[in-house]
Amino acid sequence: MRTNHHGNGAVIRALLAENIHPDAEAALTRFGPVMIERLDGAPDAAALTARLDGVQLLGIRSRTRLPKDVFANAPDLLAVGCFCIGVNQVDLAAAQAAGVPVFNAPFANTRSVAELTLAAAVMLMRGIPRKLAAIRRGEWLKSAAGSHEVRGKKLGIVGYGNIGSQLSVLASGHGMHVYYYDIETKLAHGNARAMASLDELLALADILTLHVPSTPQTRNMIRAAQLARMKPGAFLINHARGDLVDIPALTAALESGHIGGAAIDVFPTEPASKDERFESPLLAFDNVLLTPHIGGSTEEAQAAIGEDAAVKLARYVFEGSTGKAVNFPQLEPGPLAPGRARLLSIHVNAPGYLSHLNEAISGAGLNVAAQHLQTQGQTGYAAADLEGGLPDGFLARVQAVPGTLRARLLNGG
Ligand code: NAI
C-alpha cells in the first residue's frame, strides 16, 4: 500500500525527461511548490527506475517507454504526464492498476494542423507544387491558367472535430464556402453547412480535406469509388492519418488527371527515423505537396503541449483532479476550500467500498462537506472534503479499509 500526505509546504518532486518544453515548468508550479529535475534523452526502464525514488511526477515524451515494471518499482510515483499526443509508449493498464493516472496533451497542436491545411489549400489552388517542381528544373511557368484564389471555392471537411472546426473558421475568413461531414451532429461555425453523407460532400467539394481519426470505419475511406465521385480537377488533402486514403487509387486518379493535385502529410508506412528513406508512388507527381508528418509540429504546439500536460499533472497533485486522464476514472473535485482537508482514495472497484470508507471518516468524527466517486474498470477513485480536526492515524485507518490501493490527504490550509 502507498501513502502520500502533502500540502502545507511539503514539496513535490517532478522528473522531466526528453527535453520537455520550458513552459512546462511554470505550469507545473502554478498551484503549489514543485521541485523540478531534468533528465536528458529517453531513459530505459532501469535508468528511469533508479531516478524515480522519491519522485511523485514523471514527464516523458514519445520515446520513453513505461512498461509494467516501472510502475511496480516506483512506489512514490503519483502521476505520469506524456508531453505529446500518443500514449502507446505507456502500459496504461499497469499504470491504472498501480493507481497512477496518465495524462497527455491531445489537442495542443490543433491550430498548427489547421493552419498548414489552409496553407495547403491555397498552394494547391494556385498550382504551386507543380510550379515549384518546374522552377527547380529551370522552367518558368508564369501562366495564370489553372491558378485560382481560394475565395469563393468550396472546401469539404471530413470530420468536424477540433481540427476540422478550427479549419472551418480559418477557411471562412479566407472567403471559402465550407461544407462538412461528420458521423456526429456538430454545431456549424459561421456559415459552414453540414452534409448528410460523405458522397454529397465528395460531389460538391473543390478541395476535400480529411480530419478524422483512424478507425475501422475510416480506414481506406477514400478509395477509387470516392475519388471518382469527386469533381474533375478537385484536390485532396490528407493531414490526418496515413491509412485513410488508398494510395494506389489516388495514384491512378492523379495519373488520369481526374484529381487535380493533393497535399499529403501522413502515409501508410513512414520512416521510423531520419536515417530511413521515404518511399511513395506519390513522389512521381509534380502536383502533389508532400510533407513528412509535420502537420502538428511547431514550436507553438510544443509550448502548448508543455502547458497542457503540466497543468493536468499539477491539478492532480494539488486538487486531486483526474480530468482528461487517459487511463483513470475522471474526477474534478475543484479547488479545496480553506479549513478543509481532502481525502483521495484510489481503490479496487468493488461493492461496499464507499460505505466502509465513510465508516472510517465518521468514526474519526469528521464531517463530509463534499464527496465524489468515479469508477473505471477495476479501479475506483473517491474524493471527500472533510471538516473537523484530523485525528492522529486517520490516514492509516483509511489505508486499512479493505480494497484501498492508495490514499493521500490534501490540506486546504
Ligand atoms: P477529433 O477527435 O477532435 O475530431 C475527429 C472528428 O472526426 C470527430 O468529430 C468525429 O466525430 C469525426 N469522425 C469520426 N469518424 C468519422 C467518420 N467515419 N466519418 C466522419 N467523421 C468521423 O480529432 P482532431 O484532433 O480534430 O484530429 C483529427 C485527425 O488529425 C486525427 O486523425 C489526428 O490523428 C490527426 N492529427 C494529425 C496530425 C499531424 O501531424 N498530421 C497532428 C494532430 C492530429
Side-chain angles (χ1 to χ4, degrees), residues 18-298:
E18 292 193 71
N19 204 17
I20 285 166
H21 196 278
D23 280 14
E25 300 196 5
L28 266 177
T29 52
R30 195 168 298 156
F31 300 92
V34 176
M35 209 171 82
I36 296 166
E37 298 155 44
R38 288 210 173 241
L39 194 56
D40 282 345
D44 63 23
L48 197 57
T49 301
R51 286 292 301 268
L52 284 177
D53 190 28
V55 166
Q56 285 85 20
L57 300 178
L58 172 64
I60 59 165
R61 292 173 64 191
S62 51
R63 287 189 298 121
T64 305
R65 306 200 68 75
L66 298 185
K68 198 174 179 174
D69 290 359
V70 169
F71 296 102
N73 295 313
D76 300 313
L77 188 62
L78 280 183
V80 168
C82 297
F83 287 73
C84 49
I85 313 296
V87 289
N88 298 340
Q89 70 279 38
V90 180
D91 185 333
L92 296 176
Q96 193 200 69
V100 177
V102 177
F103 301 94
N104 66 341
F107 304 123
N109 60 9
T110 295
R111 174 72 185 205
S112 300
V113 181
E115 276 192 18
L116 190 71
T117 306
L118 182 70
V122 173
M123 295 294 217
L124 289 170
M125 270 287 165
R126 292 293 287 268
I128 299 297
R130 196 190 294 281
K131 289 181 167 65
L132 182 63
I135 204 166
R136 286 196 191 287
R137 295 190 291 260
E139 298 164 30
W140 192 249
L141 301 187
K142 199 170 161 10
S143 164
S147 286
H148 299 279
E149 297 178 348
V150 293
R151 179 171 53 164
K153 305 301 179 300
K154 296 188 175 81
L155 179 67
I157 300 176
V158 185
Y160 205 66
N162 283 281
I163 296 171
S165 58
Q166 175 85 214
L167 171 64
S168 170
V169 173
L170 297 181
S172 299
H174 279 62
M176 300 189 82
H177 301 300
V178 177
Y179 299 81
Y180 65 91
Y181 167 67
D182 199 296
I183 43 168
E184 287 178 20
T185 305
K186 297 281 174 162
L187 183 70
H189 290 258
N191 291 326
R193 284 183 49 194
M195 295 285 106
S197 69
L198 177 62
D199 281 356
E200 275 180 73
L201 192 70
L202 290 167
L204 67 75
D206 296 308
I207 302 175
L208 187 83
T209 183
L210 310 179
H211 299 287
V212 293
S214 171
T215 68
Q217 290 75 43
T218 61
R219 217 153 287 149
N220 275 336
M221 74 189 301
I222 304 298
R223 306 178 298 279
Q226 286 68 31
L227 291 165
R229 280 192 195 103
M230 289 174 67
K231 288 182 186 171
F235 301 106
L236 175 71
I237 301 176
N238 183 10
H239 285 176
R241 279 293 170 257
D243 58 3
L244 306 180
V245 177
D246 179 18
I247 297 295
L250 176 59
T251 305
L254 286 162
E255 261 161 12
S256 75
H258 180 66
I259 293 297
I264 309 289
D265 185 49
V266 287
F267 304 88
T269 49
E270 297 178 359
S273 75
K274 65 180 169 44
D275 303 325
E276 236 174 77
R277 234 187 120 65
F278 171 67
E279 308 278 359
S280 168
L282 299 174
L283 283 167
F285 297 94
D286 279 2
N287 55 344
V288 176
L289 182 61
L290 297 171
T291 43
H293 201 150
I294 42 76
S297 305
T298 62

